[in-house]
């Protein structure tokens, strides 16, 4: 491990001498203009296609690297909050990658064939903000840098893709960004295999990611790395910031494994840059070597000094997550000979980095010209790719979803879900996904496609293996790659607990993943309480910006998928039964969009004696109980509350028409915890559910013993 730099030694080493709701408000924050005409500043069309500029001379590289370091130091100091250590240590890597290798257009962050960059170690976000600022992104002005971590700032405390154009994914929880990058690289490989032609390579970009020691320790990164190696994602290049420091101190207290050996065993190509502080030539050579290793993803271990340049805090945990302090900032300025006021960008650095604006416009013009040629030669493929790039769904796609009548045969909603998945895959070019080793149980195979594998990446069935957490995070990466890529992933509903962090980030980062969750209740039976979800429904309902849908039959299952496809900035969880359910009279594909609606009612004037509310497999119980009560002279309304979130979005007038406030006799029935149902049944209502874990037994026996029966609903109604 390198020692902290001292004046006039490592800090000044010669460059190159060596041997990184809210949903609606956020939806407009990130512009997507993949087919916009390239333009130079001032709106003039780009007519001259420029080659990539040569690397800056060594003195200017050093000046640029120190600019990055001190923009980070000054922003953290001004905010008195943040993580200066990683940006100070990774500034050389950041400069070389962004200035010399990364292909992008700062004036159009949504350019389709751009390289993707992910900062998995999101706490070091000032590195990314400084680089975006220097590169000319309008989303990170000097004022934005000065507003780091402040209210409504475009430079929040961790990168947020919905807040800052140029940021590809939302990172912070360690390891998630790395797994997202695997998803981005998967998307590139899949689209390249489907659409590239021998004469026209229309999809051709790299995914780069910087991860730290913490990312390496988190299990999700190993799940994702294992899959990346299995899939031979050769255009994925990961930089491991090997600085040996975490919040608790030196990593040797808990983390001593050989990372390169682990990644080699996972099928990665590995490189070690031993001097990440000043070894610019070594960093360049490593990236070139990685780009040449096309049959494997590459991990580049870059050994750096956290807080490089700080005389008293470099190489210590104290520089990881707090401001240096005014005295140490001044000492660092002297040590690195940076005798400038805070937030200073030297003119030479500005002039050099401005080349990205012209180069980005040229890159876009080249791609647009190539796509125009592609469209003439390969019209059908171009139309499909354009749909994926733009997110525009084919006309009439929803008509592919199946519909049912009460005479249709009973079936498990997991089977009805498979009909929906296969119908959608036929008409939506960007529809793909898979399961965590449960495809034949989740019923998620796309019958007309094969498996996405290293040699068949054009196929659309993704085999994730038993890696729920990695699966969810990878799908988040697929979803943010292009607006028209619609990934789904599946497991048993109870195992949302294994992937909850990825689901939460899907909601936060506006990634419209469809989470297909089968075996949704005690109805799965004999596998017992370890596999019977009881609290999961409410726990997901408590999460912002996610749709928790629990359909009761075929029409509602089709309606759930229609909603899930339409909501591209909100993920959906569709909870599905293992047991067979009847096709109910009164259910509707379109009514699912309301979240809650009336399926039967023998009252008039919006004044039933009783309202029964159910979801999923228990809606049948509510309907049967209503039939019996009606025979005894009661007026009963049955409401399907298939999605609470959608119901809450409806106008008050509609909600009152479904659940009139003056009708206080209400009963809910759902095979899960009753917590939360008081919102819909009120103080006088009765919630029938399960406020304890389940039990191993046949499903029918469990329902009877736990009181989820027609008889119990009738008894509760008479007791109100």
């Amino acid at each position: 491990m390198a020692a902290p730099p001292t004046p006039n030694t490592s800090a000044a080493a010669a460059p190159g001498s060596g041997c990184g709701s809210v949903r609606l408000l956020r939806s407009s924050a990130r512009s997507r203009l993949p087919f916009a005409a390239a333009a130079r500043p001032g709106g003039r069309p780009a007519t001259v296609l420029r080659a990539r500029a040569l690397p800056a001379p060594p003195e200017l590289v050093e000046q640029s690297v120190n600019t990055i370091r001190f923009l980070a130091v000054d922003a953290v100091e001004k905010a008195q909050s943040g993580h200066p250590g990683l940006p100070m240590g990774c500034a050389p890597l950041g400069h070389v990658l962004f200035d010399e290798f990364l292909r992008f257009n700062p004036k159009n962050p949504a350019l389709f064939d751009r390289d993707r960059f992910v900062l998995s170690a999101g706490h070091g976000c000032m590195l990314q903000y400084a680089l975006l600022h220097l590169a000319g992104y309008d989303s990170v002005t000097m004022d934005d840098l000065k507003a780091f971590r402040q209210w409504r700032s475009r430079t929040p405390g961790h990168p947020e893709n919905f807040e800052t154009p140029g940021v590809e994914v939302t990172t912070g929880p360690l390891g998630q960004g790395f797994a997202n990058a695997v998803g981005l690289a998967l998307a590139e490989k899949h689209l390249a295999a489907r659409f590239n032609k021998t004469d026209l390579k229309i999809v051709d970009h790299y995914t780069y990611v910087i991860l730290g020691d913490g990312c390496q320790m988190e299990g999700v990164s190993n799940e994702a790395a294992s899959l990346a190696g299995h899939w031979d994602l050769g255009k994925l290049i990961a930089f491991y910031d090997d600085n040996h420091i975490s919040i608790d101190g030196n990593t040797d207290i808990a983390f001593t494994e050989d990372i390169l050996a682990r990644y080699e065993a996972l099928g990665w190509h590995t490189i070690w840059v031993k001097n990440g502080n000043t070894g610019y030539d070594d960093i360049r050579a490593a990236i070139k070597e990685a780009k040449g290793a096309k049959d494997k993803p590459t991990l580049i271990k870059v050994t750096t000094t956290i807080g490089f340049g700080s005389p008293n805090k470099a190489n210590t945990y104290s520089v990881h997550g707090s401001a240096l302090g005014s005295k140490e900032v001044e000492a660092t300025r002297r040590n690195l000979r940076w005798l400038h006021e805070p937030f200073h960008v030297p003119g030479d650095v500005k002039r050099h980095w401005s080349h990205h604006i012209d180069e980005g416009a040229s890159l876009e013009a080249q791609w647009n010209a190539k796509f125009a040629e592609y469209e003439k030669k390969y019209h059908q493929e171009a139309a499909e790719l354009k749909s994926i790039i733009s997110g525009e769904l084919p006309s009439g796609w929803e008509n592919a979803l199946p519909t049912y009548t009460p005479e249709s045969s009973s079936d498990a909603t997991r089977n009805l879900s498979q009909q929906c998945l296969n119908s959608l895959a036929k008409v939506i070019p960007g529809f793909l996904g898979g399961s965590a080793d449960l495809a034949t149980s989740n019923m998620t195979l796309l019958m007309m496609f094969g498996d996405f594998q290293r040699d068949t990446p054009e196929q659309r069935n993704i085999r994730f293996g038993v890696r729920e957490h990695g699966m969810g995070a990878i799908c988040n990466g697929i979803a943010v790659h292009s607006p028209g890529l619609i990934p789904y992933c599946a497991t048993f509903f109870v195992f949302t607990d294994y992937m909850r962090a990825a689901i939460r980030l899907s909601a936060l980062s506006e990634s419209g993943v469809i989470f297909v969750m089968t075996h949704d209740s005690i109805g799965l039976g004999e596998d017992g309480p370890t596999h019977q979800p009881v609290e999961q429904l409410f726990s997901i309902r408590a999460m912002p910006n996610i749709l928790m849908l629990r359909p009761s039959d075929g029409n509602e299952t089709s309606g759930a998928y229609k909603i899930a496809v339409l909501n591209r900035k909100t993920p959906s969880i569709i909870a599905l039964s293992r047991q067979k359910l009847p096709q109910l009279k009164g259910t509707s594909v379109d009514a699912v969009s309301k979240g809650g609606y009336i399926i039967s009612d023998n009252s008039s004037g919006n004044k039933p004696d009783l309202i029964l509310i159910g979801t999923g497999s228990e809606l049948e119980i509510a309907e049967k109980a209503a039939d019996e009560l009606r025979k005894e002279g009661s007026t009963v309304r049955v409401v399907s509350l298939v999605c609470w979130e959608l119901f809450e979005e409806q106008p008050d007038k509609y909600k009152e028409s479904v659940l009139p406030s003056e009708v206080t006799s209400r009963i809910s029935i759902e095979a899960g915890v009753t917590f939360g149902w008081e919102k819909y049944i009120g103080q006088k209502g009765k919630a029938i559910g399960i406020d304890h874990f389940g039990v191993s037994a046949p499903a029918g026996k469990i329902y009877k013993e736990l009181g989820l029966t027609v008889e119990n609903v009738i008894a509760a109604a008479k007791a109100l």
Side-chain angles (χ1 to χ4, degrees):
M1 184 66 190
T6 55
N8 302 317
T9 56
S10 61
S17 62
C19 304
S21 169
V22 174
R23 165 162 58 104
L24 299 176
L25 294 174
R26 288 174 175 166
S27 62
S28 61
R30 177 174 245 240
S31 63
R32 291 193 178 275
L33 304 169
F35 291 97
R40 295 182 186 276
R44 300 190 304 278
T47 55
V48 179
L49 302 183
R50 292 167 50 98
R52 194 72 193 252
L54 295 173
E59 297 79 9
L60 185 54
V61 170
E62 188 72 12
Q63 195 176 31
S64 173
V65 168
N66 279 332
T67 300
I68 296 165
R69 286 185 177 124
F70 281 98
L71 286 175
V73 167
D74 294 336
V76 172
E77 195 66 24
K78 186 174 188 297
Q80 284 297 292
S81 174
H83 301 74
L86 182 147
M88 295 170 75
C90 284
L93 167 59
H95 168 88
V96 172
L97 177 61
F98 262 72
D99 191 48
E100 300 177 23
F101 289 93
L102 205 68
R103 297 163 66 250
F104 57 91
N105 182 0
K107 299 307 177 186
N108 181 13
L111 172 65
F112 167 69
D113 205 32
R114 68 192 182 277
D115 289 337
R116 270 67 170 178
F117 170 75
V118 176
L119 184 63
S120 187
H123 56 274
C125 56
M126 267 309 305
L127 172 71
Q128 188 167 13
Y129 297 150
L131 290 165
L132 292 174
H133 173 72
L134 292 179
Y137 283 79
D138 297 329
S139 53
V140 186
T141 66
M142 184 58 75
D143 285 341
D144 292 315
L145 295 179
K146 292 178 179 179
F148 178 54
R149 289 189 161 219
Q150 303 309 300
W151 176 255
R152 296 299 187 194
S153 165
R154 289 191 293 187
T155 49
H158 289 83
E160 297 172 0
N161 64 311
F162 53 84
E163 197 71 63
T164 314
V167 170
E168 300 288 352
V169 299
T170 299
T171 60
L174 296 177
Q176 291 284 332
F178 174 73
N180 295 163
V182 172
L184 289 166
L186 181 154
E188 194 277 343
K189 183 166 184 170
H190 173 69
L191 295 177
R194 280 178 64 182
F195 296 106
N196 283 350
K197 305 295 182 181
T198 54
D199 60 331
L200 281 172
K201 213 172 186 180
I202 204 71
V203 183
D204 185 18
H205 53 267
Y206 282 82
T207 301
Y208 299 94
V209 56
I210 293 177
L211 66 160
D213 290 300
C215 295
Q216 296 286 25
M217 293 186 224
E218 289 285 0
V220 66
S221 63
N222 198 64
E223 290 184 21
S226 177
L227 282 166
H230 170 73
W231 289 326
D232 286 347
L233 299 181
K235 297 177 90 170
L236 172 63
I237 300 175
F239 302 93
Y240 165 34
D241 176 28
D242 171 42
N243 64 41
H244 295 283
I245 296 293
S246 61
I247 292 176
D248 277 353
N250 196 291
T251 55
D252 62 12
I253 62 175
F255 186 57
T256 53
E257 67 191 62
D258 186 337
I259 287 292
L260 294 186
R262 191 223 295 183
Y263 275 75
E264 287 171 10
L266 292 174
W268 287 57
H269 178 63
T270 61
I271 307 169
W272 185 7
V273 175
K274 296 182 180 180
N275 177 13
N277 295 328
T278 58
Y280 302 109
D281 287 341
D282 292 344
I283 295 170
R284 292 183 185 105
I287 297 173
K288 290 176 182 177
E289 180 182 333
K291 294 185 74 172
K294 298 184 183 300
D295 60 338
K296 291 183 177 182
T298 297
L299 179 77
I300 304 174
K301 175 180 171 180
V302 185
T303 298
T304 66
T305 300
I306 191 170
F308 180 88
S310 171
N312 302 301
K313 293 189 175 183
N315 200 31
T316 69
Y317 71 91
S318 61
V319 77
H320 167 82
S322 58
L324 292 176
S326 58
K327 290 184 179 179
E328 189 65 12
V329 169
E330 289 308 309
T332 305
R333 277 185 153 78
R334 290 193 299 270
N335 190 42
L336 294 178
R337 304 189 193 90
W338 191 255
L339 305 180
H340 301 290
E341 70 278 6
F343 296 101
H344 178 73
V345 179
D348 288 348
V349 173
K350 285 182 182 178
R351 284 186 289 274
H352 171 74
W353 278 79
S354 68
H355 73 85
H356 290 288
I357 295 174
D358 277 356
E359 287 178 9
S362 294
L363 177 68
E364 183 161 348
Q366 287 175 325
W367 190 86
N368 285 342
K370 187 188 295 185
F371 187 80
E373 183 181 356
Y374 185 90
E375 198 166 20
K376 289 179 182 177
K377 289 186 175 182
Y378 309 106
H379 183 73
Q380 180 59 38
E381 292 94 329
E384 288 191 7
L385 181 57
K386 202 166 187 176
S387 171
I388 290 170
I389 293 172
S390 68
E392 183 176 347
L393 293 166
S395 177
W397 66 271
E398 66 276 13
N399 296 327
L401 289 165
T403 57
Y404 305 85
T405 68
E407 291 70 42
S408 301
S409 60
S410 298
D411 208 345
T413 52
R414 63 169 175 166
N415 295 332
L416 301 169
S417 164
Q418 186 168 47
Q419 295 175 27
C420 292
L421 290 171
N422 280 271
S423 298
L424 292 171
K426 292 176 183 177
V427 296
I428 299 177
F431 199 81
L432 75 169
S435 171
D437 198 51
L438 290 168
T440 55
S441 192
N442 296 143
M443 308 304 292
T444 50
L445 283 176
L446 302 178
M447 299 305 183
M448 71 291 294
F449 296 110
D451 292 342
F452 177 98
Q453 296 289 353
R454 57 168 60 95
D455 297 322
T456 54
E458 72 281 1
Q459 299 298 332
R460 295 203 227 170
N461 285 301
I462 305 175
R463 304 288 192 165
F464 289 102
V466 188
R467 301 181 183 92
E468 294 91 352
H469 197 179
M471 173 179 69
I474 288 169
C475 283
N476 287 342
I478 296 172
V480 299
H481 182 279
S482 295
L485 283 178
I486 304 178
Y488 68 87
C489 61
T491 184
F492 292 167
F493 191 29
V494 76
F495 297 139
T496 53
D497 290 348
Y498 274 88
M499 56 194 299
R500 189 175 179 86
I503 294 173
R504 184 178 188 274
L505 276 176
S506 188
L508 177 61
S509 60
E510 302 177 352
S511 304
V513 176
I514 301 175
F515 295 94
V516 181
M517 297 294 152
T518 69
H519 298 62
D520 71 336
S521 74
I522 56 171
L524 67 88
E526 290 87 346
D527 276 340
T530 61
H531 283 55
Q532 293 169 1
V534 291
E535 78 276 22
Q536 279 73 16
L537 277 166
F538 184 78
S539 71
I540 296 298
R541 286 168 179 158
M543 188 180 292
N545 194 43
I546 192 165
L547 301 178
M548 179 65 252
L549 298 125
R550 189 169 183 243
S552 65
D553 66 0
N555 285 329
E556 287 199 343
T557 301
S558 290
Y561 274 103
K562 181 179 178 180
I563 287 296
V565 169
L566 287 172
N567 280 271
R568 292 295 78 231
K569 290 188 177 294
T570 300
S572 300
I573 290 187
I574 304 178
L576 302 159
S577 74
R578 177 181 183 270
Q579 71 273 34
K580 288 185 176 182
L581 304 176
Q583 311 298 340
L584 298 173
K585 185 179 180 180
T587 58
S588 162
V589 173
D590 292 332
V592 172
S593 66
K594 300 290 188 181
Y597 65 102
I598 301 166
I599 71 161
S600 68
D601 190 1
N602 67 329
S603 69
S604 60
N606 203 29
K607 293 180 180 179
D609 297 328
L610 173 69
I611 299 176
L612 300 180
I613 312 170
T615 73
S617 46
E618 290 71 65
L619 190 61
E620 174 196 6
I621 297 173
E623 183 67 4
K624 286 182 175 179
D627 286 342
E628 294 301 317
L629 289 167
R630 288 166 187 155
K631 291 176 184 178
E632 298 178 10
S634 297
T635 56
V636 184
R637 173 176 296 178
V638 178
V639 171
S640 172
L641 204 60
V642 60
C643 180
W644 293 16
E645 296 81 15
L646 290 174
F647 186 68
E648 288 304 316
E649 290 180 1
Q650 304 311 309
D652 289 342
K653 184 177 180 180
Y654 175 79
K655 288 188 281 188
E656 178 68 17
S657 73
V658 175
L659 298 176
S661 53
E662 66 179 271
V663 180
T664 58
S665 294
R666 304 181 185 186
I667 297 173
S668 67
I669 179 166
E670 184 175 67
V673 295
T674 59
F675 188 68
W677 273 106
E678 60 273 8
K679 181 174 186 176
Y680 297 109
I681 62 172
Q683 294 298 315
K684 296 182 179 180
K686 169 71 174 176
I688 298 175
I690 310 168
D691 289 318
H692 49 76
F693 291 117
V695 64
S696 177
K701 180 69 171 178
I702 300 174
Y703 267 81
K704 181 179 180 180
E705 294 296 331
L706 297 185
L708 281 87
T709 62
V710 172
E711 293 76 16
N712 196 30
V713 173
I714 293 172
K718 292 180 177 180
L720 287 175

